[in-house]
Amino acid sequence: DTGVSQNPRHKITKRGQNVTFRCDPISEHNRLYWYRQTLGQGPEFLTYFQNEAQLEKSRLLSDRFSAERPKGSFSTLEIQRTEQGDSAMYLCASSLKQSRTGGTGRFTDTQYFGPGTRLTVL
Amino acid sequence: KQEVTQIPAALSVPEGENLVLNCSFTDSAIYNLQWFRQDPGKGLTSLLLIQSSQREQTSGRLNASLDKSSGRSTLYIAASQPGDSATYLCAVRTFYNNDMRFGAGTRLTVKP
């Protein structure tokens, strides 16, 4: 396992269609994050899982968006009734929440990102 | 709400020059700060992560510093190379959120 993978890498769809993206995290990582990035901007947080539990959702995640991580491994992000404003790069990241590092008692939790799925809504 | 700002938005330097990228944040209650590199159309590569208790981290030609009290971090790149050309993003995680807040990035071009 060399890193976080995302599929598909590119998706072109027509407005109103549903799309689903998949993210496979680094195998031992228990945390998984979805971000959205538009041109010229930094990524914006969408949602976060710890194992199979979805613990946080951004207000950016409208009712048309749903994310799952059914067995605490891979995750899917579905967008229903796509709109042109949904066109963006969708990034997935994973991390391992550890109890200690180097004896400091601090969590590391470095996020490792996948290559992203670029969505274009026509 | 945590706001992260990166200045400058774009920077062009000749090869071999040392350079500094700046990141500022509004809420000093940070858990950690991470610097990333992003090549065009690609995902993010983590460069350095600084925990809130640390002042700096180094990796090869890169050195990142953190000053929580002033809400600033810098990424120092020594002896820049054309292969360093990319967008550099800083991201901050606070104690009360699990997500990271990103700046808009600095687009660096190193000319041969």
Side-chain angles (χ1 to χ4, degrees):
Chain A
D1 192 334
T2 57
V4 179
S5 62
Q6 292 186 245
N7 289 288
R9 295 292 307 278
H10 303 274
K11 179 70 177 178
I12 300 174
T13 191
K14 293 182 179 180
R15 187 172 50 139
Q17 298 294 304
N18 299 342
V19 294
T20 300
F21 311 139
R22 176 176 170 131
C23 171
D24 288 89
I26 294 172
S27 58
E28 67 269 24
H29 284 186
N30 51 13
R31 289 186 163 183
L32 187 147
Y33 308 78
W34 285 100
Y35 293 83
R36 181 177 70 184
Q37 185 178 26
T38 53
L39 199 62
Q41 299 299 314
E44 296 174 291
F45 170 75
L46 293 178
T47 189
Y48 145 71
F49 292 84
Q50 179 152 320
N51 300 312
E52 67 275 9
Q54 188 173 18
L55 298 185
E56 276 188 54
K57 292 195 291 186
S58 162
R59 64 179 181 276
L60 294 175
L61 211 67
S62 74
D63 291 345
R64 297 184 298 104
F65 288 71
S66 63
E68 295 182 343
R69 194 182 183 199
K71 297 182 179 179
S73 57
F74 73 92
S75 175
T76 57
L77 178 68
E78 181 183 16
I79 309 174
Q80 296 181 329
R81 305 180 303 281
T82 52
E83 302 173 356
Q84 288 183 324
D86 296 331
S87 295
M89 174 80 88
Y90 289 84
L91 294 164
C92 174
S94 70
S95 70
L96 177 63
K97 185 177 187 296
Q98 294 178 321
S99 59
R100 290 185 182 274
T101 178
T104 65
R106 295 276 186 172
F107 300 108
T108 56
D109 212 10
T110 301
Q111 293 189 24
Y112 295 88
F113 281 77
T117 294
R118 179 167 296 285
L119 173 66
T120 302
V121 182
L122 302 175
Chain B
K1 179 186 173 185
Q2 180 73 271
E3 302 283 347
V4 182
T5 304
Q6 291 187 246
I7 294 173
L11 180 65
S12 180
V13 300
E15 182 177 3
E17 192 164 297
N18 302 328
L19 59 102
V20 174
L21 306 180
N22 297 293
C23 173
S24 61
F25 47 93
T26 55
D27 188 341
S28 62
I30 69 168
Y31 181 77
N32 61 36
L33 184 146
Q34 201 164 350
W35 282 93
F36 294 88
R37 168 186 173 137
Q38 187 173 32
D39 293 288
K42 306 291 186 182
L44 279 65
T45 300
S46 179
L47 298 173
L48 290 164
L49 180 143
I50 310 177
Q51 299 290 355
S52 62
S53 59
Q54 297 173 323
R55 296 297 296 268
E56 65 177 347
Q57 283 286 334
T58 298
S59 175
R61 294 183 295 109
L62 305 179
N63 176 276
S65 68
L66 174 64
D67 184 344
K68 284 192 304 179
S69 61
S70 66
R72 293 182 181 180
S73 175
T74 61
L75 178 66
Y76 174 82
I77 302 177
S80 58
Q81 302 170 359
D84 295 331
S85 298
T87 296
Y88 291 81
L89 296 153
C90 77
V92 173
R93 182 176 161 190
T94 54
F95 280 103
Y96 42 83
N97 284 323
N98 286 295
D99 60 293
M100 304 195 78
R101 301 294 168 91
F102 284 81
T106 294
R107 189 173 68 254
L108 173 65
T109 303
V110 181
K111 297 181 178 179

